[in-house]
């Protein structure tokens, strides 16, 4: 499989793709305080490196010091990365390379030609072990027996030097001008006037995954364990979802345990599915009913949890139920996997099995990273009010975590046992804790309660956004970064959380450096009863609604609120969220019901969001499948909208596709199960 390089980062990230950490004051050498990408030890190492350079000229010394200290900048991942290739020094602001850099950075010295400053200050100054010595276009080889060099020894001219180290030439670039990066305080993009929906299906699903072959098809799944392959109708066609519920792509219901908050929670198709036919399902099983269900219990001595001591009413039999990720194949059912309309329900291999201590908050979404091809696994804290065993913060627990594993390089059975893995996978070497004996190596991020729907921004895959369901007060959206700690159960969103019981011990607020949510909402603000449960969505990248483009869409389970969050300043990781109105198009292919005494569409419950290969966004609800369409179809004003080039939809749905809705019973069961899943 050919993997695309991981894209350069945008929001504050360090060169190791981790989030900046607290400095507890100013660093001694480098001019950074608050959040930085250096700790005091690294700051001291930079100081020693600088002193060893023995630079005699003060102007050159000042310039070189600032270049070295740029590794501490909270935006250092952006500064040191171009087309995913690491750089020996940051991108130096070079006004001759383009003027667009000023749109991102507003450093106080406004030195848009810092590259020239470095050259003019240091061109004839001897520097020991110069950071500019790894010449990209050296005019002559540096003698092997010397560490002293001038810029003129390495580079033909200032223009050649700045062509190599200077930037930038595109509107998304960020460059270094000798001082800590400070982004423009631009106003946030105006929120959309509202989003217009059309109903294209009556079925109740909790997952939608675009077909990996790039076609206008997508897979839908329900809690019971069925997956369907559907044709997505063109925008403005008036057609409905091409999905025949009597003929699923694969039926896994005999393997899935379905009850209250249990079922099939996720599915993922290998990035190379069109060639290898591999796909994966994440579901729950009951070891008393499924002989192959057994696995290690999440409550064990490694995390100071004794199964015999768990006596909560919501525990049931400890680790009777498991979270399972299994691999299946569509090979051999058609001329090629891309053409397959059926798959075999026989499990190829068990990727992951984890016994659950309680009966809720077990997440279950799985998806492949767009840049690395690894499988990401979203795990809740295991349930019971307030995570009493502190699993989300326990370093040896996989609960309350996002895991990242390699399913393409599977070790032998002997190696899996030796390494203590939880299934058939290997751990990527660049996982944040792959060499940390105190942490489980599968962990990519931790401190989450119940991540319910995560997604990568299709235009900026370094933006990995996850909605995390709260306990009593707050629902949140986080940008997930390598090794990040998102605070639960020390914090619920931005607020300190006080657990009622703590048999598993406490984690003090002073001992962690939490990453707080980028947006969220309080329960009391949206529901008189104080009940809420977030459902994460997508950064909207379709041009169907250009006024929503770039906004992150998400909603609440109770379907009365949908938000659009926009980032400001650009690339800052700072979001402003707006509660937006939503309506159903009068010419919707399937007539939309409304909430009594209201014009609001009766979505009933929002289970999930989806995205197709055209980047159109869908809302999966109890009452059906809805798609975001042109705002003018609901009479929302959007000056950027271009008139539809296709024929307007007919008021009569097309009969060219076969669609059979769920029974009323299944609709009710699905709603109750998801409701309990969120609230327990």
């Amino acid at each position: 499989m050919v993997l695309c390089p991981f894209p350069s980062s945008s929001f504050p990230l360090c060169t190791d793709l981790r989030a900046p950490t607290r400095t507890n004051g100013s660093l001694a050498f480098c001019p950074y305080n608050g959040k930085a990408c250096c700790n005091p030890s690294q700051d001291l190492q930079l100081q020693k490196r600088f002193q060893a350079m023995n630079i005699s000229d003060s102007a050159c010394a000042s310039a070189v010091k600032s270049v070295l200290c740029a590794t501490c900048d909270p935006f250092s991942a952006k500064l040191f990365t171009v087309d995913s290739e690491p750089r020996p020094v940051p991108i130096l602001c070079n006004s001759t390379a383009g003027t667009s850099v000023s749109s991102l950075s507003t450093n106080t010295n406004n030195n848009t030609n810092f590259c020239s400053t470095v050259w003019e200050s240091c061109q004839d100054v001897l520097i020991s072990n110069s950071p500019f010595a790894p010449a990209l276009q050296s005019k002559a080889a540096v003698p092997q027996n010397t560490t002293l060099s001038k810029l003129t020894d390495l580079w033909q001219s200032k223009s050649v030097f700045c062509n190599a180290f200077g930037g930038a030439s595109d509107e998304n670039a960020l460059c270094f001008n000798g001082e800590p990066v400070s982004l423009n305080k631009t106003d946030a993009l105006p929120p959309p006037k509202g989003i217009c929906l059309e109903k294209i299906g009556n079925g109740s699903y909790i997952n939608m995954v675009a077909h990996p072959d790039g076609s206008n098809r997508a897979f839908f799944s329900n809690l019971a364990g069925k997956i369907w392959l559907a044709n997505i109708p063109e925008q403005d066609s008036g057609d409905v979802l091409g999905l025949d519920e009597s003929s699923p792509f694969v039926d896994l219901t005999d393997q899935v345990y379905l009850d209250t908050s249990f079922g099939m929670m996720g599915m993922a198709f290998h990035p190379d599915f069109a060639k290898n036919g591999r796909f994966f399902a994440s579901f729950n099983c009951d070891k008393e009913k499924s002989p192959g269900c057994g696995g290690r219990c999440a409550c064990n001595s490694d995390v100071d949890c004794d199964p015999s001591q768990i006596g909560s009413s919501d525990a049931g039999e400890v680790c009777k139920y498991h979270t399972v990720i299994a691999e299946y194949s569509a090979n051999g059912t058609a001329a090629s996997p891309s053409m397959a309309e059926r798959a075999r329900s026989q499990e190829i291999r068990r990727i992951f099995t984890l016994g659950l201590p309680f009966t809720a908050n077990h997440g279950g979404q799985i998806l492949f990273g767009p840049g690395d091809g690894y499988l990401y696994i979203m795990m809740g804290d295991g349930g019971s009010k307030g995570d009493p065993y502190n699993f989300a913060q326990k370093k040896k627990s996989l609960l309350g975590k996002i895991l990242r594993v390699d399913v393409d390089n599977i070790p032998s059975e002997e190696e899996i046992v030796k390494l203590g893995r939880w299934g058939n996978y290997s751990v990527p070497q660049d996982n944040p804790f792959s060499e940390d004996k105190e942490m489980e190596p599968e962990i990519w991020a931790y401190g989450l309660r119940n991540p319910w729907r995560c997604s990568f921004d299709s235009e900026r895959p370094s933006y990995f956004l996850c909605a995390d369901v709260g306990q009593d007060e707050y629902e949140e959206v986080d940008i997930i970064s390598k090794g990040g700690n998102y605070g639960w159960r020390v914090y619920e969103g931005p607020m300190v959380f006080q657990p009622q019981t703590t048999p598993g011990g406490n984690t003090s607020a002073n001992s962690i450096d939490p990453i707080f949510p980028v947006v969220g909402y309080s329960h009391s603000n949206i529901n008189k009863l104080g009940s809420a449960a977030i459902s994460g969505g997508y950064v909207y990248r379709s041009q169907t609604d250009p006024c929503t483009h770039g906004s992150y869409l998400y909603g609440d389970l109770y379907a009365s609120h949908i938000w659009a969050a926009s980032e400001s300043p650009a690339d800052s990781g700072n979001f402003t969220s707006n509660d937006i109105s939503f309506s159903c198009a009068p010419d919707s292919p399937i007539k939309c019901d409304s909430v009594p005494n209201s014009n609001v569409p009766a979505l009933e419950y929002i289970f999930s969001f989806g995205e197709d290969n055209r980047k159109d966004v869908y809302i999966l609800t109890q009452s059906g499948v809805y798609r975001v369409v042109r705002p003018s179809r609901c009479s929302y004003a959007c000056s950027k909208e271009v008139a539809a080039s296709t024929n307007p939809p007919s008021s009569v749905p097309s009969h060219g596709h076969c669609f059979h809705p769920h029974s009323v019973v299944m609709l009710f069961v699905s709603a109750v199960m998801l409701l309990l899943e969120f609230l327990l």
Side-chain angles (χ1 to χ4, degrees):
M1 178 177 63
V2 178
L3 297 179
C4 298
F6 200 81
S8 58
S9 303
S10 299
F11 61 95
L13 279 183
C14 304
T15 53
D16 61 359
L17 296 183
R18 293 178 184 252
T21 58
R22 290 180 301 187
T23 61
N24 292 323
S26 299
L27 296 175
F29 176 65
C30 293
Y32 290 91
N33 56 49
K35 290 278 188 176
C37 287
C38 292
N39 57 35
S41 175
Q42 293 166 324
D43 180 61
L44 179 60
Q45 291 174 6
L46 288 172
Q47 183 177 21
K48 290 180 178 179
R49 181 184 173 191
F50 171 74
Q51 291 170 343
M53 290 180 178
N54 198 26
I55 304 173
S56 59
D57 182 88
S58 60
C60 178
S62 176
V64 172
K65 175 185 175 181
S66 67
V67 167
L68 291 181
C69 285
T71 59
C72 300
D73 198 284
F75 290 89
S76 59
K78 186 76 170 179
L79 293 173
F80 282 82
T81 305
V82 173
D83 294 330
S84 299
E85 293 297 326
R87 300 171 58 90
V89 299
I91 303 169
L92 306 179
C93 289
N94 178 24
S95 59
T96 62
T99 59
S100 61
V101 292
S102 61
S103 66
L104 281 180
S105 182
T106 57
N107 299 40
T108 54
N109 67 12
N110 199 29
N111 190 349
T112 59
N113 205 2
F114 183 64
C115 190
S116 293
T117 300
V118 173
W119 174 269
E120 291 164 1
S121 301
C122 298
Q123 59 181 322
D124 294 318
V125 178
L126 285 171
I127 302 175
S128 180
N129 294 313
S130 170
F132 308 105
L136 303 180
Q137 300 178 37
S138 177
K139 75 174 185 181
V142 181
Q144 294 291 322
N145 59 354
T146 182
T147 60
L148 288 172
S149 62
K150 306 174 184 177
L151 294 187
T152 51
D153 293 331
L154 302 170
W155 303 92
Q156 293 176 347
S157 65
K158 179 173 68 175
S159 62
V160 175
F161 174 78
C162 287
N163 281 339
F165 291 108
S169 59
D170 65 82
E171 63 182 9
N172 294 316
L174 188 67
C175 65
F176 183 67
N177 68 3
E179 293 186 356
V181 169
S182 175
L183 299 181
N184 268 339
K185 299 295 187 288
T186 55
D187 292 333
L189 293 174
K193 301 296 184 183
I195 59 171
C196 185
L197 306 176
E198 67 173 1
K199 187 176 183 180
I200 60 172
N202 287 317
S204 179
Y205 314 104
I206 67 165
N207 286 289
M208 174 186 174
V209 177
H211 200 294
D213 69 356
S215 66
N216 65 333
R217 297 180 295 167
F219 295 94
F220 292 80
S221 67
N222 67 1
L223 272 173
K226 290 184 179 181
I227 299 174
W228 291 270
L229 177 59
N231 290 314
I232 305 294
E234 296 283 344
Q235 286 271 0
D236 295 304
S237 68
D239 288 342
V240 299
L241 192 66
L243 185 153
D244 183 354
E245 288 209 352
S246 68
S247 182
F249 177 77
V250 69
D251 185 346
L252 305 178
T253 54
D254 61 341
Q255 303 169 46
V256 175
Y257 178 69
L258 180 65
D259 181 30
T260 60
S261 59
F262 292 113
M264 194 174 89
M265 298 295 178
M267 61 176 174
F269 290 76
H270 194 280
D272 237 2
F273 172 81
K275 295 180 179 179
N276 63 29
R278 300 174 69 193
F279 68 99
F280 305 80
S282 171
F283 58 88
N284 303 118
C285 63
D286 180 346
K287 70 178 183 180
E288 292 183 358
K289 298 180 179 180
S290 302
C293 184
R296 272 192 290 166
C297 184
C299 174
N300 56 58
S301 58
D302 288 342
V303 292
D304 301 319
C305 181
D306 183 352
S308 67
Q309 299 301 312
I310 295 182
S312 301
S313 59
D314 60 345
E317 181 185 338
V318 177
C319 290
K320 175 184 178 183
Y321 306 108
H322 289 65
T323 285
V324 165
I325 299 170
E327 179 180 344
Y328 301 88
S329 176
N331 286 332
T333 61
S336 70
S338 182
M339 298 174 63
E341 296 183 354
R342 299 285 187 279
R344 296 186 178 90
S345 60
Q346 289 78 19
E347 183 179 320
I348 301 298
R349 67 172 59 87
R350 184 65 54 88
I351 298 297
F352 180 83
T353 307
L354 178 73
L356 299 169
F358 302 101
T359 59
N361 294 3
H362 43 83
Q365 184 189 10
I366 54 176
L367 74 166
F368 282 93
D372 53 26
Y374 295 129
L375 185 68
Y376 290 76
I377 305 169
M378 273 46 81
M379 294 295 301
D381 66 10
S384 194
K385 187 176 179 64
D387 188 15
Y389 284 86
N390 202 21
F391 289 129
Q393 290 295 324
K394 289 285 178 66
K395 296 181 177 181
K396 284 295 183 179
S397 173
L398 299 186
L399 296 172
K401 312 294 194 297
I402 292 177
L403 314 179
R404 179 180 184 249
V405 301
D406 182 350
V407 296
D408 289 330
N409 298 289
I410 298 176
S412 65
E413 290 186 17
E414 293 79 9
E415 188 72 7
I416 289 171
V417 173
K418 177 183 176 182
L419 294 172
R421 299 287 182 255
W422 298 77
N424 292 290
Y425 58 84
S426 59
V427 172
Q429 290 186 349
D430 62 341
N431 267 19
F433 308 111
S434 61
E435 303 298 328
D436 187 343
K437 293 183 179 180
E438 293 186 359
M439 296 282 286
E440 290 292 273
E442 296 89 346
I443 297 171
W444 181 256
Y446 62 111
L448 297 133
R449 181 177 179 269
N450 191 26
W452 189 256
R453 299 314 180 237
C454 305
S455 65
F456 291 91
D457 181 353
S458 60
E459 287 191 8
R460 298 177 300 177
S462 58
Y463 279 65
F464 182 21
L465 293 114
C466 276
D468 194 21
V469 180
Q471 176 72 68
D472 297 320
E473 297 185 60
Y474 199 83
E475 305 296 304
E476 66 185 82
V477 177
D478 302 301
I479 296 181
I480 302 299
S481 59
K482 182 178 182 178
N485 183 347
Y486 292 86
W488 175 253
R489 68 181 163 81
V490 182
Y491 294 90
E492 181 182 0
M495 301 173 291
V496 174
F497 180 78
Q498 299 292 341
Q500 294 179 354
T501 59
T502 59
N506 275 317
T507 298
S508 70
N510 292 332
S511 68
I512 66 172
D513 187 16
I515 300 173
F516 291 116
V518 292
V519 290
Y521 54 93
S522 297
H523 292 194
S524 58
N525 289 343
I526 68 163
N527 192 309
K528 293 180 180 179
L529 300 177
S531 297
I534 196 170
S535 183
Y538 288 84
V539 177
Y540 188 83
R541 291 302 181 185
S542 171
Q543 290 300 329
T544 302
D545 182 352
C547 287
T548 303
H549 186 272
S551 294
Y552 175 72
L553 296 179
Y554 62 102
D556 188 80
L557 171 69
Y558 296 96
S560 59
H561 294 270
I562 295 176
W563 291 268
S566 60
E567 188 180 22
S568 178
D571 299 311
S572 66
N574 296 321
F575 284 78
T576 300
S577 189
N578 293 278
D579 195 342
I580 57 174
S581 62
F582 55 97
S583 303
C584 204
D587 56 3
S588 175
I590 299 175
K591 185 180 183 299
C592 299
D593 293 328
S594 298
V595 174
N597 303 316
S598 168
N599 293 323
V600 176
L603 306 182
E604 299 185 37
Y605 293 106
I606 293 177
F607 295 151
S608 295
F609 287 71
E611 182 185 59
D612 66 15
N613 283 316
R614 299 186 188 94
K615 308 309 173 189
D616 280 321
V617 168
Y618 299 74
I619 306 177
L620 310 183
T621 78
Q622 183 191 357
S623 66
V625 178
Y626 297 79
R627 174 167 61 180
V628 178
V629 297
R630 293 183 293 108
S632 60
R633 287 177 60 183
C634 292
S635 299
Y636 288 125
C638 176
S639 60
K640 300 177 183 178
E641 182 180 339
V642 178
S645 59
T646 57
N647 293 327
S650 168
S651 59
V652 180
S654 167
H655 297 286
H657 299 290
C658 181
F659 183 86
H660 299 282
H662 270 298
S663 67
V664 174
V665 172
M666 277 309 299
L667 283 172
F668 176 76
V669 169
S670 295
V672 171
M673 289 175 182
L674 262 295
L675 181 60
L676 290 174
E677 160 68 19
F678 283 119
L679 297 182
L680 282 176

